[in-house]
Amino acid sequence: MKRRLLDPETPLEDAERGLCEALLSLRSAEEMQAFLHDLCTPAELEALVDRWRVVPYLLDGLSYREIHERTAVSITTIGRVARYLNQGNGGYLAAAARAARRRAATRKART
């Protein structure tokens, strides 16, 4: 976490809430992608993508080594994501469940 010498005008919790509301206001994957590309550096975005990339494999019970071989994501990152899947705030699980439902609905609509 960054340490600041000055207190920002907006408390961290309020700024985080504002970011969450901004994310929720976007209406499509394309809008979200544009926002993330504006918000994040390429390295930050790559880190987010790497973390998200390993979630389905962890949920399927693959070993860290197998996930690494399939994704090239570091074992350390895989372990970090696994820890938050098991002991975090439920965000990964909620997002993964909703993404899976959306994919299933899209597939069903195509048939």
Side-chain angles (χ1 to χ4, degrees), residues 30-104:
E30 292 76 18
E31 285 184 2
M32 179 66 74
Q33 187 173 27
F35 182 74
L36 289 174
H37 280 267
D38 289 345
L39 180 67
C40 301
T41 66
E44 290 167 337
L45 188 56
E46 182 181 15
L48 292 172
V49 169
D50 282 350
R51 291 174 188 164
W52 185 245
R53 180 180 288 151
V54 303
V55 169
Y57 295 114
L58 287 167
L59 292 174
D60 286 345
L62 272 67
S63 71
Y64 291 11
R65 178 69 50 207
E66 179 70 18
I67 295 169
H68 169 71
E69 290 171 1
R70 291 183 183 202
T71 65
V73 174
S74 75
I75 300 292
T76 302
T77 296
I78 295 165
R80 184 176 300 122
V81 173
R83 185 172 64 248
Y84 281 97
L85 269 171
N86 295 317
Q87 301 168 357
N89 295 299
Y92 276 125
L93 292 173
R98 289 189 183 131
R101 283 195 299 270
R102 181 174 283 213
R103 281 191 306 274

Side-chain angles (χ1 to χ4, degrees), residues 3-9:
R3 295 189 185 263
R4 293 187 170 88
L5 298 177
L6 301 174
D7 277 341
E9 185 175 302

